Amino acid sequence: MNLHLDAVNAKNMWELLDLKVTDAQEKADFVASNTVSILEAYTVVTAGGHALPFGIYDGKTPVGFLMIGYDTLDWEDEPGVAAGNYCLWRLMVDGRYQGRGYGRRTVKLALDLIRTLPCGPADCCWLSYMPENTTARSLYYSLGFTENGEMEGDEIVAVLPLT
């Protein structure tokens, strides 16, 4: 496995837009589409904020999408922990590639990048997930994230200290 992240650009955008989660995950609305994610990144960046969208690749094969955010984004229901911290904003692995360890390895790659503080200083990385998404909860818990009692809309917030 040669897993790496490539920033979204004009050359890879279309192949990333073609990636999809399983039908069950889409129906449960666990992860926004990559189209929505890239649009959100664009709106945040054009407003002067920080959004780092990436394709997840195994060699030359696109297997998923990751997006990192930094600081507050001026969105409704944003948790207090967002201020001055990083967010693992999106993680999706295409349904064809799930169950192969890509999610776990990608979160580790993302945390390695976040620990370089590419957008500015921070104390932690946070993320959120639907309460019914027990797979996500188990993955994030196994990597050291703990729920902090906050919610982002209907989603549970979990936090990992960066130090």
Side-chain angles (χ1 to χ4, degrees), residues 78-131:
E78 201 166 40
V81 71
N85 287 305
Y86 287 87
C87 173
L88 194 58
W89 190 353
R90 289 281 151 62
L91 172 63
M92 76 77 66
V93 175
D94 185 278
R96 297 169 293 172
Y97 303 104
Q98 292 181 14
R100 301 183 191 183
Y102 287 121
R104 174 177 297 284
R105 288 185 180 105
T106 299
V107 173
K108 289 179 179 181
L109 284 175
L111 291 171
D112 288 346
L113 173 61
I114 288 168
R115 286 186 175 108
T116 69
L117 307 175
C119 301
D123 294 323
C124 68
C125 176
W126 68 277
L127 51 79
S128 64
Y129 47 84
M130 298 296 291

Side-chain angles (χ1 to χ4, degrees), residues 16-34:
L16 298 173
L17 292 175
D18 286 338
L19 300 175
K20 307 283 184 230
V21 294
T22 65
D23 289 342
Q25 290 168 318
E26 187 173 339
K27 191 173 194 172
D29 200 26
F30 283 164
V31 181
S33 72
N34 293 347

Side-chain angles (χ1 to χ4, degrees), residues 5 12 40 57 106:
L5 304 175
N12 68 7
E40 287 176 341
Y57 287 84
T106 299

